[in-house]
Amino acid sequence: MSRQYRPGNARLAHFWESLRTSYWFVPTLMTASALGLSFASVHLDERLKAEWVRTVGWIWAGSPEGARQVLSTIAGSMITVAGVAFSITIVALTLASSQFGPRLLRNFVRDLGNQVVLGTFVSTFVYCLLVLRTVRGGDGAEFVPYLSVTLGIAFALASLGVLIYFIHHVASAIQAEPLIASVAGELEAAIEEMFPEKLGEPGPESPEETPAEIEEEGALVEAVRSGYVEAVDDGRLMSIAIAEDLVLELLRTPGSFVTEGGALVRAWPSGRLGPEVADHIRESFILGRHRTPTQDPEHAVHQLVEIGVRALSPGINDPFTAMTCLDWLGAALSELARRKIPSRYRYDDRRRLRVIAEGTGFPKMADAAFNQIRQYGRTSVSVLLRLLDTIAAVAGHVRRPEDRACLFRHADQAVRDARDTLVNERDLREVEERHTATLRALAEAASPPMEG
């Protein structure tokens, strides 16, 4: 008999994220609303008396032929403007793809402003088209939906304002600074979601290592198809582990790529892992074609790094954009350094080990943030100096010894790269002086418990 396991909210969050990143969801909702509004407004016009409408000065009160002309003009212009807006969006996407990287296109597609603009034009077109069909004239059954035509004119004026906003929004969105700030905001939100506790709040720690019997005797649950792990339903996995009295060690985390037949989970004891339970475990892993920031804050780090690395390429040669990326990466790492890193050991209510999941810690995030920018910017004095300044700024927020050791390592790697590549002695001396100041900041940042 199949068991029912308690689902978590990861699948719902992933579904909502997929809707947010689609270009059709908001326009579809707005179009459906326009369809309903057209029926409601026409029904209200049928109940209102024409004499009362004519006494109100702000309501349109023309002839049936005039109503047809107004509605058809608005509908035709709206579908034309919608095509122009779509063309502008495609041009902006092409420019962003070549300048900042194809993985940044998702940020443009999910932009709520662009979705609302397209939805406004399409919904106004649909509204006017549906109201137009109700206009009757030339016989005894004349009907003019005065209030509905007035609403159509109001929507046309609102669409004009939306068009002006769209032009300004697109011109701002393709600039480097606003785009970098947008990605950094997404990274900050991901850190807030994955690391909700600030450092210093009470919480149990798990000093033990992974039990040897799990690695030696555990059974593997393999993937049935290839793809990126976009999200993991940890609530469902915990429910399965409790119901089947298992210990589950996650071998793939969000952001990892798994091939068909690759191991997802190691379950112990292996005798309790049946085919049906293994299928339920597989269903807890959401696989897709690309990485998402839902449970993967490192993905947003990679997006910022990609912008910085592309800016350092010989074809672009824009170190200022790379330095801006380092500023925002330093802000994100400073926030992460102040937060409590969850233990990789997850227990049930009876304090029995159930799930082992390796999370994303500060050293891993710092490596993702600094390594590639340092490697591609090793010949740029300004980038190396900004990298050392960023490390010094983050040093004031670290509290864990392993985090501070990671920053020491990156500072040393930066100065070694400078010694290997810089031929100007004055530039090298400036980098070494900044390196000394960074080491001093790291040494002074040690918290009192560590000094004791």
Side-chain angles (χ1 to χ4, degrees):
M1 181 178 180
S2 176
R3 294 199 186 197
Q4 296 296 323
Y5 303 106
R6 178 179 60 85
N9 59 358
R11 190 169 293 274
L12 180 62
H14 177 267
F15 177 71
W16 174 245
E17 178 67 18
S18 65
L19 289 180
R20 287 183 59 200
T21 56
S22 63
Y23 201 51
W24 57 266
F25 179 62
V26 172
T28 300
L29 287 181
M30 296 179 66
T31 302
S33 300
L35 188 146
L37 181 61
S38 66
F39 287 110
S41 62
V42 170
H43 178 71
L44 184 60
D45 273 311
E46 291 174 346
R47 298 181 65 87
L48 292 175
K49 300 297 184 180
E51 292 76 10
W52 177 85
V53 171
R54 293 190 179 94
T55 62
V56 182
W58 55 269
I59 294 182
W60 186 90
S63 63
E65 186 61 31
R68 292 193 187 98
Q69 186 173 1
V70 168
L71 292 174
S72 60
T73 300
I74 295 175
S77 61
M78 285 302 103
I79 199 65
T80 301
V81 173
V84 173
F86 185 75
S87 301
I88 294 175
T89 302
I90 295 300
V91 173
L93 292 177
T94 303
L95 178 62
S97 177
S98 60
Q99 185 77 12
F100 305 113
R103 276 155 293 278
L104 270 298
L105 295 184
R106 172 184 162 279
N107 296 72
F108 287 91
V109 172
R110 68 172 291 181
D111 186 273
L112 183 60
N114 293 336
Q115 297 174 5
V116 170
V117 167
L118 180 61
T120 299
F121 297 147
V122 174
S123 59
T124 302
F125 166 77
V126 171
Y127 174 84
C128 293
L129 199 63
L130 292 177
V131 173
L132 180 61
R133 67 182 180 84
T134 65
V135 179
R136 299 187 299 271
D139 52 16
E142 179 179 298
F143 174 71
V144 179
Y146 298 107
L147 182 60
S148 300
V149 175
T150 304
L151 286 177
I153 296 174
F155 290 154
L157 294 176
S159 299
L160 179 61
V162 169
L163 178 61
I164 297 174
Y165 159 78
F166 176 69
I167 296 174
H168 167 76
H169 182 68
V170 170
S172 301
I174 59 177
Q175 298 179 32
E177 286 80 5
L179 176 61
I180 294 172
S182 174
V183 178
E186 188 175 83
L187 173 57
E188 182 179 351
I191 292 175
E192 179 71 30
E193 178 70 21
M194 296 301 296
F195 308 97
E197 299 183 19
K198 293 291 184 70
L199 189 65
E201 296 182 1
E205 296 293 337
S206 301
E208 70 221 65
E209 299 293 332
T210 303
E213 58 269 20
I214 296 179
E215 298 184 354
E216 297 173 359
E217 304 173 10
L220 297 179
V221 178
E222 300 174 343
V224 295
R225 65 186 181 93
S226 302
Y228 286 97
V229 179
E230 296 184 353
V232 177
D233 195 339
D234 50 356
R236 181 182 174 88
L237 282 176
M238 178 63 75
S239 176
I240 294 173
I242 294 174
E244 305 296 337
D245 195 17
L246 290 169
V247 178
L248 303 178
E249 181 184 6
L250 275 62
L251 304 178
R252 292 291 186 273
T253 56
S256 303
F257 185 84
V258 59
T259 59
E260 182 179 354
L264 292 172
V265 170
R266 181 182 288 115
W268 180 86
S270 58
R272 297 175 185 159
L273 181 67
E276 186 176 355
V277 177
D279 289 338
H280 284 293
I281 292 176
R282 292 188 188 96
E283 292 173 0
S284 301
F285 286 79
I286 304 173
L287 301 183
R289 293 176 293 179
H290 50 77
R291 299 175 66 172
T292 64
T294 305
Q295 296 181 356
D296 182 19
E298 191 177 343
H299 173 64
V301 172
H302 288 164
Q303 287 185 313
L304 285 174
V305 171
E306 181 177 7
I307 297 175
V309 169
R310 279 180 170 266
L312 293 173
S313 64
I316 300 178
N317 194 21
D318 179 17
F320 294 101
T321 296
M323 293 159 64
T324 303
C325 292
L326 283 172
D327 292 338
W328 285 106
L329 287 169
L333 290 175
S334 298
E335 180 65 24
L336 180 59
R338 294 192 295 265
R339 293 181 178 268
K340 180 180 177 64
I341 304 299
S343 171
R344 64 191 298 259
Y345 301 97
R346 316 293 171 83
Y347 297 87
D348 59 15
D349 295 337
R350 301 169 60 184
R351 297 301 300 166
R352 298 182 62 182
L353 180 62
R354 290 303 182 188
V355 177
I356 304 173
E358 192 70 45
T360 300
F362 180 91
K364 187 176 180 181
M365 293 278 283
D367 290 344
F370 294 147
N371 278 339
Q372 292 193 53
I373 293 182
R374 174 182 54 79
Q375 293 162 2
Y376 286 90
R378 59 192 305 179
T379 60
S380 174
V381 178
S382 58
V383 173
L384 290 175
L385 292 176
R386 184 60 63 87
L387 174 59
L388 291 171
D389 288 341
T390 302
I391 295 174
V394 177
H397 304 277
V398 295
R399 296 295 180 268
R400 292 175 287 265
E402 61 272 18
D403 297 350
R404 200 164 67 255
C406 174
L407 295 180
F408 269 114
R409 173 168 53 83
H410 282 288
D412 290 341
Q413 289 174 336
V415 75
R416 283 201 301 267
D417 284 350
R419 291 166 181 163
D420 292 340
T421 57
L422 299 182
V423 296
N424 189 294
E425 293 183 0
R426 184 173 181 179
D427 290 341
L428 179 58
R429 185 166 56 253
E430 186 177 3
V431 173
E432 289 178 337
E433 290 174 354
R434 196 69 56 88
H435 173 254
T436 302
T438 301
L439 296 183
R440 187 182 308 114
L442 283 166
E444 294 174 353
S447 62
M450 294 176 184
E451 294 173 352

